[in-house]
Amino acid sequence: MPRFSVIVPSHGVAGRLSRALDSVLTQSFGDVELIPVCDAPDCPAADVAGRYAGRDRRVVPVHAPPTDGVAGARNAGLRSATGDWVLFLDGDDELAPGALAALGTRLRETGEPDVLYAGHERVPWWTGEPTTPAAPLLARAPDEAFTPERAPWLTGVGLPAWSAAYRRDFLVEHELVFPAGHFTDVGFGGLVTLAAVRMAVLRRVVVRHRVRRQGSRLNRPGAHHSELLDQVELVLTRAAEQGLPDRRHGPLFEELFAAVLKTAAHPRRLPHGRAAFFRRAGVLYRRHRPAGFRPPGGSVGVQHRLLASGAYPAFRALRAANRALTGALARLPRPRRLRSRLRYKLQLRRPLDPNLAVYCAYWGRGYLCNPAAIHAKARELAPHLRSVFLVEPGQETTLPEGVEYAVIGSRRSWDVLARAKYLINNANFADAVVKRPGSVHLSTQHGTPLKRMGADQAMYPVVAAATGSFARLLARVDRWDYNVTSNRHSTEMWESAYPAAHETLEYGYPRNDAYYTATAEDVARIRRQLGVPEGKKALLYAPTHRDHASGFEPGLDLAALCEEIGDEYVVLLRAHYFYDRGDARGSGRIVDVTGHLSSEEVCLAADALITDYSSIMFDYANLDRPIVVYADDWDVYREVRGVYFDLMQCPPGRVAGTPGELAALLRDGSYADAESGALRAAFRERFCQFDDGRAAERVVRRVLLGEPPEALPPVVPLAERVPAPAPAATTLTRS
């Protein structure tokens, strides 16, 4: 039987869960049972927990449906726990180094009390000094173990569940579990303290609580705030049943109603139903007010008296008088031009058009990537929607026939942005775009992340300087309702890079549908359009952008490479889209395809891919064709740009570090041999997880048609997928 059982609910924190688990498993005190609680066996967090369980027998994952909330997850962990003592840890928090050893020592010193309250640290998600909010409460407590009567201010309801260790036999004996619903810590903490006979404190920090950028879920607007009153009623009813003495009843009552008044006075938390909340709170106040209770002084005391008398109009007037109005309109981002600004503000007052969808890709470069694939599928499955594509000036002629468009910055573009129900983008709309209530913003991304993205770039100075304001970036992310991913790796990394409250759609990238739906005729047609000579093998060379470089440098002498590998090859050069200048860089056996808008078509035309660290490798892997990684500056790139994993340890094929090594791989055919195929198979297993040719359909049905997840086409297993045929003119192996 282990000394400690640490229960870690993991809903919505797959990207940060590993830090929590590591903080437990790397403790100097190793007699511990770690219980990650996951939504289901196939959820993102279950993948993380499963990897840990596979290498450490102390990790015992369990499952609880997300509909049961954090209370259900903790209770599921409790049922599975076997340790003498139980601790709770949120999935994005960490145990401080040495925490378990300090807890163990303190429990021996205090003779195994029922509950040991400990300090915690609130760590700002970005910058700022940590705080220790429990310290004042713990500082007043006796040094030795004590009865609750000696520290009546330690009521339990003001401390989170993870700020204490609980004797498991004590919880079982008193049948103490987390009450269902929101604010479960209030109910559980109060019930624990009411049942405890002996308590103790540990004044050092045990848990580092990582404050989420979007704040606590409990503080968001919604009807769930009424459940705070359920927890208050539960605790006060139990206190009345056991005849809690006034010395303890008064502090408990005051602390509970401090939380109630804070909610009642917060218009954003209760945009609707504040009067009903206030009335019910008043009933509870009068029913459970201890004999001789004296409200606190000042404004808070006035609020107590108004609550006791049920005077909601007076309470509302008091709170309105105490709040200073801020210049909300001045803080709203707006279009630059005065005329456009005024027109946009006017359009924002009109109702949303429920049948209007606005699309944009790569800041208006044209009709391409995931937005284009979703647009095309929406025309098929949701023809009732009016779809408008936003493009930069000059890109209008690149749009397919019949696609309605608006030029970015025009009055028409602001009109549709103001009124569209659906806004779909693979990057972000301008800062000036306002997220309207009822609108649906879908972020599709435009690649699987190898390099650090979003907030994760902050620790890399070269990249951070080019990114600009992270606050503005994250304000744009806050508009997202959905974010599409193509593999579980992306799900976890986007959660870290873009911390916000959107829902992740593990549906695959719609643009990658083409890799499973294109025919041999399509491949032949694309090769003709690109100018690939008949009978030649086409090698796609697609290097990524380097943040430390001032312009595009191929990285390879392509003409020399062509001479080295023989005349059976041509090279398709595709520079990063940052360097699409509209001019051609190739000649002879080098075909510059940078200006070709569709990267999917370029990939379909290629017999093999040569890249360095570009995310194109993840998309191209769907075709199950050879990939060579040319990594001549991996160490520099990794240090300057930052990466999420070591590509050299799990490449999609052979790796070359010099031009000579690359030429040798192509000359002798080893770039396409069995070993390269095995590397590619492992890579596809990890990164081609959800791409199966039906991603666009899933997105349209879920987001634009509102169909439930269970009604969507399931992802086809990788072994059953059939990629588009390789170019018929080649064999991909040397004879």
Side-chain angles (χ1 to χ4, degrees):
M1 180 182 296
R3 181 64 166 161
F4 294 104
S5 292
V6 183
I7 297 168
V8 188
S10 62
H11 177 71
V13 293
R16 302 183 289 276
L17 179 60
S18 59
R19 295 199 308 190
L21 303 184
D22 285 339
S23 74
V24 177
L25 297 176
T26 57
Q27 292 282 313
S28 58
F29 188 98
D31 189 12
V32 62
E33 171 186 55
L34 179 56
I35 307 175
V37 187
C38 309
D39 293 345
D42 59 347
C43 73
D47 278 1
V48 178
R51 293 196 295 268
Y52 278 81
R55 60 177 183 259
D56 194 319
R57 59 183 179 82
R58 295 176 296 170
V59 182
V60 186
V62 299
H63 302 104
T67 52
D68 289 353
V70 67
R74 288 172 175 169
N75 290 335
L78 269 176
R79 290 191 293 271
S80 178
T82 61
D84 297 328
W85 286 83
V86 176
L87 288 84
F88 300 96
L89 186 69
D90 281 358
D92 49 359
D93 294 345
E94 300 172 20
L95 276 187
L100 293 183
L103 285 168
T105 299
R106 185 60 177 157
L107 289 171
R108 289 194 300 273
E109 292 173 350
T110 55
E112 308 285 312
D114 296 324
V115 57
L116 174 66
Y117 292 110
H120 66 271
E121 189 175 66
R122 289 174 58 87
V123 182
W125 85 274
W126 190 251
T127 59
E129 292 297 319
T131 60
T132 53
L137 288 175
L138 304 183
R140 299 167 58 194
D143 291 333
E144 67 281 0
F146 54 90
T147 61
E149 285 74 13
R150 294 183 60 193
W153 63 87
L154 205 57
T155 66
V157 301
L159 291 172
W162 36 260
S163 196
Y166 309 89
R167 187 164 55 83
R168 189 170 64 86
D169 287 346
F170 160 72
L171 297 179
V172 172
E173 177 187 353
H174 293 276
E175 299 180 346
L176 290 169
V177 295
F178 286 86
H182 294 84
F183 304 96
T184 186
D185 282 15
V186 173
F188 181 76
L191 296 178
V192 164
T193 309
L194 289 173
V197 175
R198 294 179 70 251
M199 305 192 303
V201 299
L202 172 63
R203 295 186 179 93
R204 65 160 284 173
V205 169
V206 168
V207 172
R208 289 176 175 166
H209 172 60
R210 301 281 178 178
V211 179
R212 299 184 181 189
R213 189 183 75 84
Q214 58 272 35
S216 169
R217 296 188 182 102
L218 298 180
N219 292 335
R220 296 174 192 163
H224 65 277
H225 286 281
S226 64
E227 297 178 29
L228 172 61
L229 300 181
D230 296 337
Q231 304 291 352
V232 169
E233 184 172 16
L234 174 67
V235 174
L236 290 177
T237 300
R238 183 69 58 85
E241 290 172 349
Q242 68 183 55
L244 193 69
D246 290 345
R247 175 175 167 77
R248 292 183 60 194
H249 201 168
L252 175 64
F253 181 87
E254 183 173 344
E255 188 160 7
L256 286 169
F257 276 95
V260 170
L261 287 169
K262 185 176 180 180
T263 298
H266 205 302
R268 291 187 179 179
R269 294 185 188 177
L270 283 170
H272 307 289
R274 291 175 68 199
F277 180 92
F278 190 88
R279 286 193 298 270
R280 184 185 170 199
V283 171
L284 291 175
Y285 190 99
R286 293 186 292 273
R287 180 187 305 159
H288 293 282
R289 178 171 47 190
F293 175 74
R294 298 183 62 181
S299 176
V300 176
V302 176
Q303 294 176 48
H304 271 259
R305 293 179 177 88
L306 293 174
L307 184 61
S309 62
Y312 178 67
F315 177 84
R316 184 174 59 182
L318 173 67
R319 297 306 300 164
N322 289 341
R323 287 195 305 269
L325 294 177
T326 55
L329 290 177
R331 292 197 305 270
L332 277 178
R334 301 175 179 178
R336 292 182 180 179
R337 296 180 181 178
L338 178 60
R339 182 175 297 180
S340 297
R341 181 187 309 169
L342 295 174
R343 184 180 181 90
Y344 184 54
K345 287 179 65 177
L346 180 63
Q347 292 293 331
L348 288 173
R349 296 179 181 178
R350 300 179 62 190
L352 289 174
D353 184 340
N355 293 320
L356 177 59
V358 173
Y359 298 78
C360 189
Y362 295 114
W363 306 277
R365 288 188 65 233
Y367 188 81
L368 63 163
C369 196
N370 291 318
I374 296 170
H375 177 278
K377 185 59 68 173
R379 296 177 76 181
E380 173 190 336
L381 298 180
H384 63 285
L385 294 180
R386 175 192 171 202
S387 299
V388 180
F389 227 92
L390 300 186
V391 293
E392 291 179 323
Q395 292 293 333
E396 305 94 310
T397 58
T398 66
L399 295 169
E401 184 178 352
V403 173
E404 185 178 354
Y405 68 89
V407 176
I408 292 176
S410 67
R411 292 198 307 174
R412 187 160 179 269
S413 72
W414 287 114
D415 287 351
V416 295
L417 283 169
R419 300 200 58 211
K421 166 80 172 181
Y422 306 101
L423 295 97
I424 299 100
N425 206 323
N426 73 346
N428 260 314
F429 288 100
D431 290 350
V433 174
V434 174
K435 168 70 164 114
R436 297 186 62 182
S439 64
V440 177
H441 284 242
L442 169 66
S443 169
T444 72
Q445 302 296 339
H446 52 268
T448 291
L450 167 61
K451 61 188 178 185
R452 297 276 175 171
M453 300 292 290
D456 292 338
Q457 301 174 73
M459 302 304 294
Y460 298 87
V462 173
V463 190
T467 300
S469 168
F470 284 97
R472 291 173 62 185
L473 166 66
L474 294 172
R476 296 190 290 270
V477 171
D478 281 339
R479 297 183 302 214
W480 299 354
D481 294 288
Y482 299 102
N483 185 36
V484 176
T485 71
S486 58
N487 46 64
R488 189 56 54 78
H489 162 78
S490 295
T491 298
E492 297 178 16
M493 297 310 106
W494 292 145
E495 182 183 313
S496 173
Y498 302 118
H502 52 263
E503 178 182 343
T504 297
L505 304 179
E506 295 185 321
Y507 292 171
Y509 278 159
R511 71 179 183 189
N512 291 349
D513 288 354
Y515 299 136
Y516 296 97
T517 59
T519 64
E521 291 75 16
D522 294 327
V523 173
R525 171 183 53 78
I526 296 167
R527 284 168 67 91
R528 289 193 299 270
Q529 289 177 350
L530 295 178
V532 178
E534 187 174 350
K536 297 291 186 181
K537 297 180 181 179
L539 303 174
L540 173 59
Y541 176 53
T544 192
H545 165 67
R546 281 159 173 73
D547 298 89
H548 55 280
S550 57
F552 174 70
E553 295 294 337
L556 271 173
D557 185 337
L558 296 179
L561 178 67
C562 287
E563 290 299 319
E564 285 281 326
I565 61 179
D567 61 5
E568 64 186 290
Y569 295 100
V570 295
V571 174
L572 305 178
L573 168 62
R574 187 169 182 82
H576 192 278
Y577 59 82
F578 285 177
Y579 307 113
D580 180 12
R581 303 191 305 255
D583 55 346
R585 300 177 179 84
S587 60
R589 290 167 57 194
I590 303 169
V591 183
D592 190 346
V593 295
T594 302
H596 192 82
L597 286 179
S598 172
S599 63
E600 299 80 29
E601 289 190 347
V602 172
C603 288
L604 285 166
D607 296 279
L609 169 68
I610 303 170
T611 187
D612 42 22
Y613 325 118
S614 171
S615 66
I616 199 172
M617 72 179 78
F618 301 100
D619 304 311
Y620 191 84
N622 282 284
L623 291 169
D624 200 15
R625 302 177 192 174
I627 302 174
V628 179
V629 176
Y630 179 62
D632 63 334
D633 62 348
W634 170 247
D635 290 338
V636 173
Y637 185 86
R638 178 174 56 184
E639 292 301 318
V640 173
R641 189 60 175 83
V643 295
Y644 285 114
F645 65 92
D646 189 348
L647 180 64
M648 300 302 104
Q649 297 300 313
C650 52
R654 296 282 193 171
V655 177
T658 66
E661 291 177 2
L662 176 60
L665 291 174
L666 295 168
R667 278 199 310 270
D668 64 17
S670 56
Y671 77 100
D673 63 7
E675 183 176 339
S676 70
L679 292 169
R680 187 169 69 253
F683 191 84
R684 295 182 76 231
E685 188 74 28
R686 181 178 179 186
F687 296 110
C688 298
Q689 204 167 356
F690 308 128
D691 289 325
D692 64 353
R694 302 191 71 178
E697 179 183 352
R698 284 189 281 268
V699 170
V700 170
R701 292 191 183 280
R702 176 76 170 89
V703 178
L704 302 183
L705 296 177
E707 296 183 10
E710 59 270 16
L712 305 181
V715 175
V716 177
L718 185 63
E720 299 176 16
R721 300 176 207 165
V722 180
T730 65
T731 62
L732 294 185
T733 55
R734 290 182 63 88
S735 58

